[in-house]
């Protein structure tokens, strides 16, 4: 046993970890700093000011910038509908496969991970005939893009939920609930969902970030979202388009921080939950007992 422990590599040192984080941080910060510097330029005369930022937050933008707000509203609507579609279809399926059909877990995982291996432009080629039918049945509203976005967020949502689902003994919990007379809906909403809520929140946040950054499918299917609107406005005023791109990056960064906080919070309410737990007895205490 001691021999095995000696063979385990302790990993990079503290200094090496800080160097790795610093290099990766520079890769992200340099282009972001360049974008900020670009939005502060006054023009050919040189110098910097905050006039464009003041116009964005002060409501001083004209009608030519209306596509950005239209695209932002459409993207937020798509984010909400996509999250609802993803949770309604994916969560019950994963729970049912986990409890009743464990042999199909590999098949479900394979199906959910397929979209990440297919380029978005290839997906559009297959989705275009489908959307011609959807347009005849439900209209050509921008919300219909949620069906396509529900496909592209499957790999990320599946991994987030699966991580939490594996850590919970869903089979035992469901059998205990069934022995007490609970139905399947009660088991799903009152037993399983509370135990995997962190995975559900993480999947929802990742789905929102993916939807807000999607461009290819919306552009090729002639729908207006935030990214397509930024391309249109960029032709008239690239400075304002870069400002809104920066704001979208900040929002995605906040979502990633929220995911990290959710994933790092222990069950039972964090510090309060840790104080409420009784420590395990030591071997000497067991011997005395």
């Amino acid at each position: 046993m001691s021999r095995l422990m000696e063979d385990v590599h302790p990993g990079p040192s503290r200094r090496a970890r800080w160097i790795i984080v610093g290099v990766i941080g520079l890769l992200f910060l340099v282009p972001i700093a360049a974008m900020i510097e670009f939005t502060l330029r006054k023009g050919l005369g040189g110098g910097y000011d905050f006039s464009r930022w003041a116009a964005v937050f002060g409501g001083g933008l004209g009608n030519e910038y209306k596509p950005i707000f239209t695209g932002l509203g459409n993207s937020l609507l798509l984010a909400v509908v996509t999250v609802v579609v993803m949770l309604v279809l994916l969560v019950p399926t994963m729970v049912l496969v986990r409890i009743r059909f464990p042999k199909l877990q590999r098949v479900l995982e394979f199906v959910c991970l397929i979209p990440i291996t297919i380029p978005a432009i290839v997906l559009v080629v297959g989705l275009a005939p489908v959307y011609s039918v959807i347009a005849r049945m439900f209209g050509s509203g921008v919300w219909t893009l949620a069906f396509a976005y529900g496909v592209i967020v499957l790999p990320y949502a599946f991994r987030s939920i699966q991580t939490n689902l594996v850590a919970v003994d869903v089979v035992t919990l469901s059998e205990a609930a069934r022995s007490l007379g609970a139905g399947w809906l009660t088991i799903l909403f009152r037993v399983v969902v509370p135990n995997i809520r962190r995975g559900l929140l993480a999947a929802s946040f990742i789905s929102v970030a993916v939807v807000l950054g999607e461009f290819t499918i919306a552009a090729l299917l002639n729908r207006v979202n935030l990214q397509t609107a930024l391309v249109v406005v960029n032709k008239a005023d690239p400075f304002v388009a870069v400002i809104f791109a920066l704001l979208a990056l900040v929002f995605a960064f906040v979502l990633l921080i929220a995911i990290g906080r959710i994933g790092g919070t222990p069950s039972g309410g964090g510090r309060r939950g840790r104080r409420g737990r009784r420590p395990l007895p030591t071997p000497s205490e067991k011997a005395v007992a």
Side-chain angles (χ1 to χ4, degrees):
M1 184 66 180
S2 59
R3 178 69 177 176
L4 293 176
M5 293 297 292
E6 291 176 359
D7 293 339
V8 176
H9 194 276
S13 63
R14 183 181 183 88
R15 180 180 299 179
R17 287 197 294 266
W18 277 109
I19 292 174
I20 294 172
V21 172
V23 171
I24 296 175
L26 283 176
L27 292 177
F28 284 97
L29 290 178
V30 169
I32 292 176
M35 294 172 68
I36 295 174
E37 188 270 339
F38 177 76
T39 61
L40 297 177
R41 294 178 185 177
K42 293 179 67 174
L44 297 177
Y48 299 95
D49 62 12
F50 291 89
S51 59
R52 298 185 184 90
W53 288 86
V56 170
F57 289 100
L61 298 178
N63 291 330
E64 63 270 21
Y65 303 103
K66 188 177 179 181
I68 288 183
F69 300 101
T70 302
L72 179 60
N74 291 341
S75 290
L76 293 177
L77 173 64
L78 282 169
V80 173
V81 179
T82 301
V83 169
V84 172
V85 170
M86 179 268 298
L87 293 178
V88 170
L89 295 180
L90 185 59
V91 176
T93 303
M94 293 181 65
V95 173
L96 184 62
V97 169
R98 183 76 177 175
I99 296 175
R100 297 294 299 273
F101 309 103
K103 294 183 179 180
L104 296 179
Q105 288 185 19
R106 295 289 185 182
V107 177
L108 178 62
E109 181 177 4
F110 176 76
V111 172
C112 290
L113 295 182
I114 283 179
I116 203 173
T117 64
I118 303 176
I121 193 169
V122 177
L123 283 175
V124 174
V125 174
L127 289 172
V130 177
Y131 267 85
S132 63
V133 178
I134 292 177
R136 290 196 298 268
M137 296 178 60
F138 303 104
S140 57
V142 69
W143 67 271
T144 56
L145 275 182
F147 300 124
Y149 288 171
V151 174
I152 64 175
V153 303
L154 267 182
Y156 314 102
F158 176 82
R159 280 304 184 192
S160 300
I161 299 173
Q162 181 72 3
T163 302
N164 257 209
L165 198 60
V166 170
V168 179
D169 192 353
V170 181
V171 177
T172 302
L173 290 176
S174 62
E175 289 177 353
R178 290 284 291 176
S179 66
L180 296 174
W184 286 113
L185 289 179
T186 302
I187 294 173
L188 178 63
F189 290 105
R190 301 189 63 180
V191 178
V192 178
V193 169
N195 283 282
I196 62 172
R197 60 184 181 276
R198 283 187 292 178
L200 298 180
L201 288 173
S204 301
F205 287 162
I206 293 177
S207 299
V208 171
V210 171
V211 171
L212 292 180
E214 203 285 321
F215 169 78
T216 306
I217 294 178
L220 295 179
L221 291 180
N222 296 320
R223 304 298 198 277
V224 179
N225 67 354
L226 177 60
Q227 300 302 321
T228 57
L230 288 177
V231 172
V232 173
V233 174
N234 183 67
K235 298 177 181 178
D237 191 342
F239 299 99
V240 174
V242 172
I243 289 176
F244 277 94
L246 280 170
L247 295 177
L249 284 174
V250 171
F251 182 69
F253 183 70
V254 171
L255 287 181
L256 291 176
I257 292 177
I259 293 171
R261 297 285 294 179
I262 292 171
T265 303
S267 58
R271 186 182 302 175
R272 183 178 178 181
R274 289 193 296 268
R275 284 203 303 263
R277 294 175 183 171
R278 184 177 179 180
L280 294 175
T282 62
S284 58
E285 291 175 343
K286 289 182 178 179
V288 173

